[in-house]
Amino acid sequence: MSEPTQSELLKVMHAQDTRIDYNFNTIIQTSIIVEYLLEKLQKLNPEIDLQEDFPAFQQARLNELVE
């Protein structure tokens, strides 16, 4: 297998940069949607404590991903 050329490496770097930008924008959009939904939920039912159950939920999800 031969060494990649500088041109090939630049193409790979550009593709990686594009992926990073796409993923970053996706995370931002997802964050905005989640924040919006949480605000709406809080207005509809203010007595719900959204932070109380989150640590257990988060741990369960992380455990699912690890398995």
Side-chain angles (χ1 to χ4, degrees), residues 34 38 49-62:
V34 168
L38 289 175
D49 185 3
L50 298 172
Q51 294 181 6
E52 179 181 337
D53 297 328
F54 181 71
F57 172 81
Q58 181 182 34
Q59 189 59 51
R61 282 292 196 209
L62 289 172

Side-chain angles (χ1 to χ4, degrees), residues 4-65:
T5 65
Q6 189 175 19
S7 173
E8 291 171 335
L9 290 175
L10 287 173
K11 285 180 187 177
V12 169
M13 287 174 51
H14 177 69
Q16 287 299 98
D17 190 48
T18 301
R19 285 181 182 162
I20 290 168
D21 285 345
Y22 175 81
N23 289 336
F24 180 71
N25 288 329
T26 302
I27 289 170
I28 289 175
Q29 290 299 317
T30 303
S31 301
I32 291 169
I33 290 169
V34 168
E35 184 178 359
Y36 171 78
L37 292 173
L38 289 175
E39 284 182 9
K40 289 292 184 183
L41 180 60
Q42 197 70 46
K43 285 180 185 176
L44 290 172
N45 198 348
E47 59 271 356
I48 292 177
D49 185 3
L50 298 172
Q51 294 181 6
E52 179 181 337
D53 297 328
F54 181 71
F57 172 81
Q58 181 182 34
Q59 189 59 51
R61 282 292 196 209
L62 289 172
N63 291 340
E64 288 175 13
L65 292 172

